[in-house]
Amino acid sequence: MGDNGSFTVEIPAGSIAGTRLGHGPPALVLHGGPGLSGEYTEQLALELADSFDTIRYQQRGQEPTTVREPYTVEAHVDDAMAVLDGLGLERAWMVGHSWGGHLAMHLAAAQADRLLGLIVIDPLGAVPDGGEKELEENLTKRLAPEAAERVNALDGELLAGRGGEAEITEMMRLVWPFYFADPAAAPPMPPFRSSVSVYSGTWDSIRSHFAAGTLVSNLPGFSERALFVHGRESPIPPGRSEESARLIDGARVEVVPGAGHFPWLERPGSIAAPVRELL
């Protein structure tokens, strides 16, 4: 049982800020991005609060957490472990969405003995590029040609470490409706904060791990329970979760009909139900 409320844990480069909600075994909720603020996972934590002591924290690069480098997969893994250590937790579930789901898989690969289990929601997958190219194509193919051209140009600038928060916000607003199964019914975009340096630096690290085959080599050693939940209409195809799950013996895959990249928003309860079955 956790102590509901806010917390701060110290790390060598500064501190990490977060919140806790719910009762049950501890679960770190890892937000997407990389480089975004993580407030949007609040509703996900609320959905899981009957099953878990949900622990959400802001990843490095956005205040109130430290904004210092490095922005690498390894640094993000270390930060997650620092949260567990700072809260006095030996082990926890990892619940990750999008890039956070990819990070959760890296935690399972690198720190298996600290995990109670793995819940991965509409992730950037483990192989071969996780669906990155398909994500870009699917988000832009329904845009008007001039909007698609603008999105591609913005993404190239951001990955090169140029531009700023205004450019990320512009890109997100253009593509936001197409993360959902029904773009016309998409909810308003939440007020994300963003960091170009975290985005570009972390993506460089992600791609280096794809090239090295880190997850392909190490995920088969993970032996705890694992669940992948994926929206059938997500711009990241469900096949990216299915092929990732095949790396873990006994992992389950739940494909949610009528849902895109944020299943708990479009189909409330679609995460909690398979989690209850898993537990």
Side-chain angles (χ1 to χ4, degrees), residues 13-35:
S15 62
I16 298 172
T19 59
R20 299 178 78 165
L21 175 72
H23 303 282
L28 290 193
V29 178
L30 308 170
H31 66 76

Side-chain angles (χ1 to χ4, degrees), residues 132 136 140 148-162 167-168 171 196 199-200 203 207:
E132 177 193 0
E136 294 172 358
T140 57
E149 184 177 350
R150 178 61 177 159
V151 167
N152 288 329
L154 286 166
D155 191 47
E157 289 290 300
L158 294 168
L159 286 171
R162 297 186 292 270
E167 284 74 17
I168 292 182
M171 183 174 72
V196 175
Y199 180 74
S200 59
W203 264 110
R207 292 192 180 104

Side-chain angles (χ1 to χ4, degrees), residues 28-41:
L28 290 193
V29 178
L30 308 170
H31 66 76
L36 294 179
S37 53
E39 295 93 340
Y40 80 92
T41 58

Side-chain angles (χ1 to χ4, degrees), residues 74-106:
E74 289 83 356
H76 287 294
V77 167
D78 288 346
D79 287 349
M81 293 298 98
V83 172
L84 294 190
D85 293 340
L87 297 178
L89 299 171
E90 181 61 33
R91 303 177 74 202
W93 285 81
M94 295 295 151
V95 181
H97 171 247
S98 194
W99 139 251
H102 190 78
L103 174 58
M105 287 188 278
H106 273 284

Side-chain angles (χ1 to χ4, degrees), residues 160-243:
R162 297 186 292 270
E165 186 162 355
E167 284 74 17
I168 292 182
T169 300
E170 180 186 355
M171 183 174 72
M172 286 292 293
R173 288 196 184 283
L174 286 168
V175 301
W176 174 257
F178 304 103
Y179 278 109
F180 295 87
D182 181 3
M189 190 179 86
F192 290 118
R193 291 171 289 118
S194 53
S195 166
V196 175
S197 56
V198 179
Y199 180 74
S200 59
T202 305
W203 264 110
D204 285 344
S205 181
I206 290 167
R207 292 192 180 104
S208 72
H209 281 283
F210 277 136
T214 303
L215 294 177
V216 174
S217 298
N218 296 315
L219 270 181
F222 184 71
S223 59
E224 301 294 340
R225 287 170 289 177
L227 170 68
F228 289 73
V229 183
H230 208 105
R232 181 168 290 162
E233 308 303 325
S234 171
I236 302 176
R240 304 295 79 78
S241 272
E242 292 164 349
E243 65 191 6

